[in-house]
Amino acid sequence: MKHIPVLRYNDLRDLMYLTHEHHLNGVVVDDAALEVMLRIEKTMQRLVELKAPGKRNRMETADANGNYWYQVFTANYKGFHYMIIRNRQWRYIDLRSASYIGGERRPDVWHGNVSKSLLKLEKHITVLVDSICENADEYNAYVEKSLPYSKRDGIIKRADLNRICPVYRMFNNPARVVDIVKKSNSLPLWSADKMTLRIYIHIWRILYEAYRTQDRYRPEPKSDFANKSDEEVFVRYNSKGREIKGLDLDSEQDYQKWYDDNSSYHCMDVAYARIHLHARRKTNRWGNENVPVADGQWYFSLGFCVYGYSNDVVNMLEILCDEGIGVVCDETARLLRIAEETDYVGITPGANKYSYDEKVGNEITLPCVDEDITAQQVADVIDATEWEPVRKVKPINEQRQ
């Protein structure tokens, strides 16, 4: 913007070293820094530009003018003041007046002395806010024009993303996926009057063996599982498999004991913290009243949320089909949308591997140029994406009108 000098990266070097990966609980600043931080708190909570270092020393994407873009958030609650500086990607700096709300103020003697950098930041923010109060439209137009797409949010049709960048295609054979999902959905559900460790371990072993031997990157040979009993595989590979020692594998009471003692430790996971096999009993409680088994009967559900494990779940559903074992898998509709390319992919700086809904199947960051993706492909993705409007800034007096 006119008449507003851009901060140099080196001006804030002391701050930029205080990333969240090294200071998980934030940094309690000293008195001098807190004084400046409190003044900034009264000034602004919006984007700040930094003049990026030379190209050889850049650790993130700069805009066309060679600038980094950062957000500054300040707030306070019951006397607890904090400031967040982040680039909406991996850099996240957390400055605080205390370690936590209501905590005793104890400045960090090693890292809290950042008043010099904060003074430079304060000067920049003050000029910037004065300019916004004079002409907010100019600032908003500048942000809309200049903010890099790598810092924006949008959605792209999966069909377009896969066409432009085939490296993002999840399934090499989408027709196979559709066929497996339809077969799985047509199977009658497996059910039983009681659940025992022997039953659970048998189903778990079937799925785990399929998961490991059909891995798309490093499949294990089937010989690793040959001549091994279900119990041997379970004890070795389940996170709490060893806890079955001394339990009666045919006792429902002992299954329940193992479940109660270990369910908080991922014992129901086929792929640790990623793919889950649950034995469930149909009750009158909300959530399973539509499951087509008799009340009181046990059945299995297979679930996942992390997009990268989609192929593994398909492989598991296939082996279950081969064994004639029907399970509840609420994510089959999601798998179909991915295979048939009828959903969207979210593009956001802070992609969340757990995020998805009926419209957006998964999130990614904006593709960058590498050995698999060209600059033209990145440009084509940007053109094909439906970008959210950048949030506009208004002076407080305008917001209250």
Side-chain angles (χ1 to χ4, degrees):
M1 290 177 64
K2 297 178 181 178
H3 313 304
I4 300 180
V6 177
L7 281 167
R8 298 183 62 83
Y9 185 89
N10 285 344
D11 291 338
L12 304 185
R13 178 182 295 178
D14 293 343
L15 284 175
M16 292 303 158
Y17 288 157
L18 305 182
T19 56
H20 203 245
E21 59 184 331
H22 300 301
H23 302 275
L24 294 177
N25 296 316
V27 175
V28 179
V29 298
D30 63 15
D31 292 344
L34 179 60
E35 182 179 346
V36 184
M37 197 175 91
L38 294 180
R39 291 201 302 266
I40 294 175
E41 183 180 297
K42 298 178 181 179
T43 306
M44 181 183 177
Q45 298 179 357
R46 286 295 180 267
L47 285 164
V48 175
E49 287 181 275
L50 295 178
K51 189 66 178 178
K55 291 184 178 180
R56 293 177 58 184
N57 299 316
R58 291 179 185 174
M59 297 177 290
E60 58 181 286
T61 304
D63 68 10
N65 297 318
N67 297 332
Y68 285 163
W69 285 71
Y70 277 74
Q71 285 180 310
V72 177
F73 298 88
T74 62
N76 68 84
Y77 180 72
K78 294 184 177 180
F80 173 74
H81 298 263
Y82 62 92
M83 173 185 289
I84 303 298
I85 304 171
R86 66 171 189 157
N87 66 351
R88 294 207 67 206
Q89 292 174 300
W90 53 272
R91 189 178 290 276
Y92 181 92
I93 298 159
D94 180 354
L95 307 180
R96 307 181 178 196
S97 60
S99 294
Y100 53 89
I101 297 172
E104 182 181 351
R105 176 164 163 71
R106 293 179 179 177
D108 187 321
V109 297
W110 295 105
H111 304 102
N113 56 337
V114 290
S115 60
K116 290 183 179 179
S117 290
L118 284 177
L119 282 167
K120 294 176 181 178
L121 179 61
E122 180 192 22
K123 181 179 179 180
H124 176 80
I125 287 178
T126 300
V127 175
L128 182 60
V129 170
D130 287 344
S131 176
I132 291 172
C133 289
E134 291 176 7
N135 190 343
D137 290 341
E138 181 187 9
Y139 173 78
N140 290 324
Y142 176 74
V143 173
E144 184 64 48
K145 176 183 177 182
S146 305
L147 182 65
Y149 284 97
S150 60
K151 303 294 179 74
R152 304 186 189 218
D153 299 295
I155 57 173
I156 183 173
K157 293 179 180 178
R158 187 179 301 278
D160 289 338
L161 178 64
N162 289 349
R163 171 180 53 80
I164 297 168
C165 298
V167 69
Y168 282 96
R169 183 173 285 114
M170 172 54 66
F171 301 125
N172 294 328
N173 186 353
R176 167 183 172 265
V177 176
V178 173
D179 183 57
I180 291 171
V181 167
K182 290 182 177 179
K183 285 181 179 178
S184 175
N185 288 341
S186 67
L187 277 178
L189 289 185
W190 177 97
S191 63
D193 294 332
K194 71 175 186 176
M195 180 54 57
T196 67
L197 278 167
R198 191 180 305 280
I199 294 171
Y200 182 83
I201 289 170
H202 177 64
I203 304 299
W204 189 95
R205 184 259 174 84
I206 291 173
L207 298 183
Y208 186 81
E209 187 171 341
Y211 167 57
R212 296 309 312 154
T213 60
Q214 297 185 57
D215 183 84
R216 67 191 302 179
Y217 301 109
R218 290 185 297 177
E220 295 181 14
K222 291 187 177 181
S223 58
D224 285 0
F225 298 91
N227 303 317
K228 287 186 171 64
S229 68
D230 292 344
E231 292 82 6
E232 288 175 313
V233 172
F234 191 74
V235 167
R236 180 172 180 180
Y237 296 108
N238 183 280
S239 67
K240 289 297 178 179
R242 294 180 181 180
E243 302 304 316
I244 68 172
K245 184 178 180 180
L247 297 178
D248 183 350
L249 300 186
D250 296 306
S251 164
E252 186 169 66
Q253 183 178 359
D254 279 11
Y255 165 80
Q256 195 64 49
K257 173 178 171 50
W258 175 82
Y259 173 82
D260 291 340
D261 290 346
N262 300 288
S263 59
S264 298
Y265 304 97
H266 296 282
C267 69
M268 314 302 284
D269 295 353
V270 183
Y272 189 81
R274 295 294 183 267
I275 304 174
H276 324 289
L277 175 69
H278 285 279
R280 304 189 185 279
R281 189 175 187 178
K282 185 171 180 180
T283 64
N284 293 323
R285 291 179 299 176
W286 179 87
N288 67 4
E289 66 273 12
N290 294 323
V291 176
V293 299
D295 288 346
Q297 291 276 296
W298 288 86
Y299 63 96
F300 284 102
S301 70
L302 183 67
F304 83 111
C305 56
V306 178
Y307 170 75
Y309 287 76
S310 300
N311 260 307
D312 300 303
V313 173
V314 171
N315 292 336
M316 292 180 190
L317 291 174
E318 183 177 39
I319 192 65
L320 289 173
C321 288
D322 292 343
E323 297 286 338
I325 301 171
V327 300
V328 172
C329 183
D330 293 333
E331 284 77 21
T332 52
R334 179 189 181 194
L335 293 172
L336 278 178
R337 290 192 293 268
I338 294 171
E340 296 175 339
E341 299 182 336
T342 58
D343 62 346
Y344 287 77
V345 175
I347 297 183
T348 179
N352 184 346
K353 61 187 175 184
Y354 296 103
S355 180
Y356 71 95
D357 55 33
E358 292 184 359
K359 181 176 181 179
V360 178
N362 65 290
E363 292 183 348
I364 63 171
T365 57
L366 182 69
C368 57
V369 177
D370 58 22
E371 64 270 17
D372 297 315
I373 298 176
T374 66
Q376 183 59 55
Q377 287 175 304
V378 175
D380 290 344
V381 168
I382 291 173
D383 289 341
T385 300
E386 301 172 21
W387 296 103
E388 295 180 13
V390 179
R391 183 180 177 185
K392 288 181 168 46
V393 175
K394 289 184 178 181
I396 292 177
N397 59 342
E398 291 187 19
Q399 294 181 28
R400 291 175 178 172
Q401 291 177 357

